Amino acid sequence: MDIESSVTALAALAQGTRLETFRLLVKHEPVGLPAGEVARLLDVPQNTLSTHLAMLSRAGLVQSERQGRSIIYRADLDGLRGLMVFLVKDCCGAHAELCEPLLTDLAPCC
């Protein structure tokens, strides 16, 4: 990941509905959710959610797949991983022990 794509991803997450959408999709990995269900769970109009999902998709944070008449959305965990690695790549001036608390906090989710 480079600076431009990182800025795009961070900008996509820098809005409340998009951040909530991304977090909801992460919770539903690996199955994902239909767009209508995301809209219902977040109490967001479907046309508004569509715009947010498109921005998250362009930022490399969300993937979609058509299943019959539905479009299933999933968090792009590779995109998230790329962003996280980019942000901490040179963590703590090569003093890896200083990054240990961060890594410990990230580990329980997986």
Side-chain angles (χ1 to χ4, degrees):
M1 185 164 279
D2 59 17
I3 288 178
E4 186 175 327
S5 56
S6 296
V7 168
T8 300
L10 290 169
L13 294 172
Q15 195 278 342
T17 302
R18 288 191 296 270
L19 182 58
E20 286 182 72
T21 300
F22 183 73
R23 290 180 52 142
L24 179 66
L25 292 173
V26 168
K27 288 178 188 176
H28 286 86
E29 275 299 306
V31 177
L33 288 171
E37 182 67 4
V38 174
R40 185 187 70 75
L41 290 170
L42 297 178
D43 195 26
V44 175
Q46 287 190 18
N47 61 338
T48 301
L49 180 67
S50 178
T51 301
H52 291 306
L53 286 167
M55 188 167 193
L56 288 166
S57 181
R58 283 191 302 275
L61 295 170
V62 168
Q63 296 178 342
S64 62
E65 176 186 346
R66 181 167 291 283
Q67 289 183 358
R69 295 179 59 191
S70 296
I71 299 177
I72 305 300
Y73 286 88
R74 292 182 182 87
D76 186 334
L77 296 181
D78 287 335
L80 175 61
R81 185 178 301 110
L83 177 61
M84 298 301 291
V85 168
F86 177 81
L87 291 173
V88 299
K89 185 160 180 112
D90 300 316
C91 183
C92 306
H95 297 284
E97 69 279 1
L98 297 175
C99 292
E100 191 62 37
L102 172 64
L103 298 174
T104 299
D105 286 348
L106 290 174
C109 71
C110 305

